[in-house]
Amino acid sequence: MRLSEMFVPTLREAPAEADAAGHRWLLRSGMIRQLAAGIYSYLPLGRSVLLNVERIVREEMDRAGCQEVLLPIMQPAELWEESGRYTQYGPELMRLKDRHAREFALGPTHEEVVTALARDEVNSYRKLPFTLYQIGTKFRDERRPRFGLLRGREFIMKDAYSFAADWDELDRTYQAMNTAYCLILERCGLEYIRVEADAGTIGGQGETHEFMALADVGEDTIVTCKHCGYAANLEKAAFLPADSTVLMDAKEANEANETNEGAGMLRIETPGVRTIAELCSFLGKKPEDMIKTLLYLADGQLVAALVRGDHELNEIAFKQVLGAEDLILADDATIAAHSSLTVGYLGPVGLGMRMVIDADVAAMKHAITGANEVDMHLSSVRPGVDFALDQVECIRFAAEGDRCVSCGEPLVFTKGIEVGHIFKLGTKYSDAMGAAFLDRNGRQCAPVMGCYGIGVSRLMAAIAEQYATEDGIQWPVSVAPYDVHLIPVSWKDEHQQKLVLEMEQQLLDHGFRVLLDDRDERPGVKFKDAELIGLPVHIVVGRGAAEAQVELGSHMLAVSGEAKRISMTAQEAVSYVREHIRRV
Ligand code: ATP
Ligand code: MG
């Protein structure tokens, strides 16, 4: 392909919207352009990368025995009402009306559509198992679209759905999809880990795993144990509660200038002191000496969660413990409407509502808490004595240094981008939507489902992130838009043009994809653009053309520690490409 004929609008500066290294380079190399927040156009080079990722995904899905379909993006609201997700999905679901005022949703995922299809078409065990997949556009009105293609509002996903007669059959498909996902990520050249995950709004009754590409911009926290290999999303990570105790001796307590009250509890005046951090500096204590009392509305009822001051509440775990459909942090107005309490001074003593107490709070010997009175806290509060430990659960997130449940070694945190997610759904959707088949014995059963998503556009962004350098993205061969960038220093030079055309032909004959910079530009501009575009091999043809001498640069060379570009004959350069460029 001739660069002079291509639409590759490279930029000297990154637009202000660019908020991650990979995203900046995708914009600067003219691969993508933003149309609106979280909505992007793929320009020729970007489209080519995307197609390469799609090809890898498609090949692995086909190899795993899945069948490709294309399901509608526009879906009747009634389908979503059947599954109960029309309300549950909330504002992330894009909704619209047709000319007859009928409501529709733009598919963020396709469980409803595919389950309806199975309900209509699959009535016997003889038709099971099977897995359908598609590669297509999804819509999610994300609260915070960011990092370009990483979190879009319109994006490309591969989603697959499996239908099985029983759980054993589902297990086998899940395993095959797991392998396919590993192969996809390896072929894309991504450094990744597979973690135990939470099912979110997709739900389901079985296990679920996420595939995380490692990157600092990743919005997910991955918790791993280097010792035994345990790996989970922070949302899901299990850990041994730290059996730490907070000891506050009487001498210390007396120094605090409070009035003694009750069996050991002390009242401390804390005017205007509301947050844990403020309380720490006011009292000269640490967050782990305090209890945080958080009020939530769970299906309309006010409930409290108690965690240690240095810990974070895991709302997912809390919601599960409560068995609540709907859980939101109560704001000041809600609290005022339901009680006489004030945020900043909340505490478990005499709170007068259901409390779920984190295990590490229950293990505290003494603690500092709010007194449920403005400008007042309590110290030397003894969990189990000064307030009842009615419901003790593990409701906090793991913290770095917590011990692994499997082997007791300390857990380590890293950042990751969720690129894939596989779920054992069980019969959640088949039950809700009345899909059923007759088994071998003529009994009516619900098909056992699985679903498997991989973000195709997010994969492209994750690769860009992992392969971003100071000068551009160094695309892995498997997804690079072309294999070789041929750069004549002066296209008008007769020798250079002749040699470049010969090399182009040879490379094409060997099946390589070649980009030729035939523009009448200064060499500096050409080199800069070549770095921006980031193809695996650059061949510069300049003054040595008459003697068939060229310079070859490749990030694969850089890896082996050699100079940026090395001189060789045109023949050697072609041989180098033949030896090193293999599309996996
Ligand atoms: P996240 O937690 O990042 O929002 P999710 O849990 O909502 O992801 P799934 O519903 O499991 O994601 O979707 C399957 C895959 O689709 C994800 O693993 C991810 O690769 C991709 N994906 C999800 N949301 C987006 C988005 N807004 N932009 C790009 N890709 C996305
Ligand atoms: Mg999401």
Side-chain angles (χ1 to χ4, degrees):
M1 188 72 194
R2 304 290 160 95
L3 198 49
S4 67
E5 292 159 15
M6 277 188 84
F7 182 55
V8 185
T10 54
L11 299 172
R12 292 290 155 242
E13 301 281 333
E17 78 195 61
D19 46 8
H23 182 208
R24 264 195 300 281
W25 291 126
L26 287 174
L27 288 162
R28 283 197 53 192
S29 59
M31 292 208 174
I32 60 167
R33 281 296 181 268
Q34 181 178 293
L35 180 65
I39 303 178
Y40 287 86
S41 304
Y42 296 83
L43 309 188
L45 287 177
R47 177 71 180 132
S48 171
V49 173
L50 190 73
L51 282 173
N52 287 331
V53 176
E54 276 190 30
R55 170 181 49 80
I56 291 172
V57 170
R58 184 172 279 115
E59 281 172 11
E60 294 307 330
M61 286 298 104
D62 292 345
R63 196 206 305 267
C66 312
Q67 304 164 67
E68 186 163 357
V69 293
L70 188 57
L71 305 170
I73 291 171
M74 194 158 150
Q75 308 172 3
E78 295 85 60
L79 262 189
W80 284 77
E81 269 154 7
E82 280 184 51
S83 71
R85 287 206 294 184
Y86 200 56
T87 30
Q88 194 208 346
Y89 221 96
E92 218 169 274
L93 188 66
M94 295 268 198
R95 297 153 207 258
L96 70 160
K97 288 197 176 110
D98 72 4
R99 64 169 73 207
H100 306 293
R102 281 192 210 110
E103 287 188 47
F104 285 82
L106 297 182
T109 173
H110 280 67
E111 284 78 13
E112 282 75 4
V113 174
V114 84
T115 310
L117 197 63
R119 171 178 62 194
D120 296 343
E121 311 300 335
V122 180
N123 47 22
S124 155
Y125 72 92
R126 273 184 247 105
K127 296 189 178 165
L128 295 170
F130 66 93
T131 305
L132 304 178
Y133 81 96
Q134 61 171 345
I135 297 177
T137 302
K138 297 278 182 277
F139 291 87
R140 294 184 184 182
D141 199 358
E142 298 276 356
R143 188 202 303 265
R144 287 185 71 198
R146 57 200 297 228
F147 303 139
L149 304 182
L150 274 184
R151 183 170 298 286
R153 295 195 298 160
E154 174 176 333
F155 59 96
I156 316 283
M157 198 207 284
K158 183 288 298 173
D159 45 332
Y161 307 88
S162 68
F163 293 85
D166 55 40
W167 279 87
D168 285 347
E169 228 168 62
L170 168 63
D171 287 349
R172 283 192 289 279
T173 308
Y174 192 82
Q175 218 29 63
M177 294 305 265
N178 184 64
T179 308
Y181 273 42
C182 294
L183 288 170
I184 290 168
L185 300 181
E186 275 157 32
R187 290 180 63 185
C188 287
L190 282 169
E191 203 186 334
Y192 73 97
I193 48 189
R194 189 187 85 123
V195 301
E196 290 178 17
D198 176 74
T201 44
I202 305 274
Q205 302 136 336
E207 62 185 321
T208 152
H209 288 91
E210 286 167 343
F211 293 80
M212 297 283 187
L214 304 179
D216 290 338
V217 296
E219 294 178 280
D220 284 272
T221 302
I222 308 166
V223 178
T224 56
C225 172
K226 297 269 181 282
H227 186 69
C228 71
Y230 174 76
N233 190 316
L234 179 60
E235 291 172 353
K236 180 78 180 178
F239 55 91
L240 295 173
D243 187 22
S244 59
T245 52
V246 179
L247 284 167
M248 189 196 241
D249 63 36
K251 185 168 153 286
E252 258 183 302
N254 282 328
E255 279 167 7
N257 191 23
E258 327 83 353
T259 44
N260 207 334
E261 190 187 85
M265 274 192 299
L266 300 167
R267 285 164 63 81
I268 320 171
E269 276 187 44
T270 50
V273 174
R274 293 167 66 106
T275 65
I276 294 280
E278 287 163 2
L279 197 58
C280 283
S281 65
F282 186 78
L283 296 177
K285 294 285 173 194
K286 298 203 205 80
E288 55 262 43
D289 304 332
M290 329 250 164
I291 297 175
K292 245 190 312 205
T293 307
L294 302 159
L295 300 194
Y296 278 81
L297 268 186
D299 299 334
Q301 286 285 321
L302 215 50
V303 289
L306 265 59
V307 290
R308 231 170 57 184
D310 58 328
H311 289 154
E312 290 301 323
L313 175 72
N314 180 345
E315 287 186 4
I316 296 170
F318 184 42
K319 193 172 169 186
Q320 266 164 13
V321 162
L322 294 171
E325 282 283 304
D326 194 39
L327 183 75
I328 39 167
L329 186 64
D331 56 18
D332 292 1
T334 314
I335 294 172
H338 283 74
S339 69
S340 57
L341 299 165
T342 310
V343 175
Y345 304 97
L346 298 171
V349 181
L351 187 63
M353 68 179 73
R354 180 176 176 191
M355 298 192 292
V356 179
I357 298 145
D358 184 63
D360 284 316
V361 168
M364 291 169 91
K365 291 268 188 299
H366 297 272
I368 300 168
T369 76
N372 298 322
E373 240 177 85
V374 174
D375 294 343
M376 194 64 80
H377 280 81
L378 298 175
S379 73
S380 297
V381 172
R382 292 160 303 169
V385 178
D386 297 317
F387 64 93
L389 299 175
D390 284 339
Q391 190 174 7
V392 177
E393 306 273 359
C394 201
I395 51 167
R396 70 166 172 98
F397 283 123
E400 226 160 336
D402 275 334
R403 286 168 302 125
C404 170
V405 269
S406 316
C407 71
E409 290 298 310
L411 296 169
V412 178
F413 284 26
T414 18
K415 287 286 175 199
I417 300 167
E418 179 203 317
V419 285
H421 199 164
I422 57 178
F423 302 77
K424 286 184 184 172
L425 293 173
T427 55
K428 172 178 167 174
Y429 292 90
S430 20
D431 284 338
M433 300 182 63
F437 68 96
L438 293 181
D439 74 2
R440 236 169 252 286
N441 307 311
R443 272 191 318 236
Q444 201 162 33
C445 305
V448 185
M449 292 173 57
C451 78
Y452 318 88
I454 201 161
V456 175
S457 46
R458 187 179 280 187
L459 272 179
M460 173 171 165
I463 300 169
E465 211 47 55
Q466 284 192 1
Y467 285 83
T469 68
E470 304 276 276
D471 307 306
I473 300 160
Q474 297 183 335
W475 292 103
V477 177
S478 59
V479 300
Y482 293 91
D483 301 310
V484 181
H485 201 140
L486 277 178
I487 311 163
V489 172
S490 164
W491 179 239
K492 297 236 161 68
D493 179 283
E494 200 186 317
H495 294 295
Q496 291 184 25
Q497 190 169 125
K498 181 161 173 287
L499 184 60
V500 161
L501 289 175
E502 275 169 23
M503 290 181 81
E504 182 192 34
Q505 197 51 54
Q506 282 184 33
L507 289 166
L508 291 173
D509 289 347
H510 289 302
F512 294 105
R513 303 159 306 160
V514 182
L515 182 65
L516 197 169
D517 193 346
D518 60 338
R519 294 173 306 166
D520 188 16
E521 286 284 1
R522 283 181 291 114
V525 172
K526 294 186 179 184
F527 295 152
K528 198 90 210 132
D529 281 347
E531 304 236 292
L532 273 179
I533 295 169
L535 299 183
V537 174
H538 296 166
I539 299 175
V540 179
V541 178
R543 271 202 291 274
E547 292 81 45
Q549 280 292 319
V550 302
E551 283 188 357
L552 182 142
S554 164
H555 44 79
M556 288 177 289
L557 281 176
V559 170
S560 59
E562 292 172 52
K564 221 172 177 186
R565 281 208 295 262
I566 48 177
S567 294
M568 55 178 76
T569 64
Q571 266 332 302
E572 284 167 341
V574 173
S575 303
Y576 179 91
V577 173
R578 292 185 64 188
E579 240 168 77
H580 290 86
I581 300 294
R582 295 243 182 292
R583 277 226 268 171
V584 286

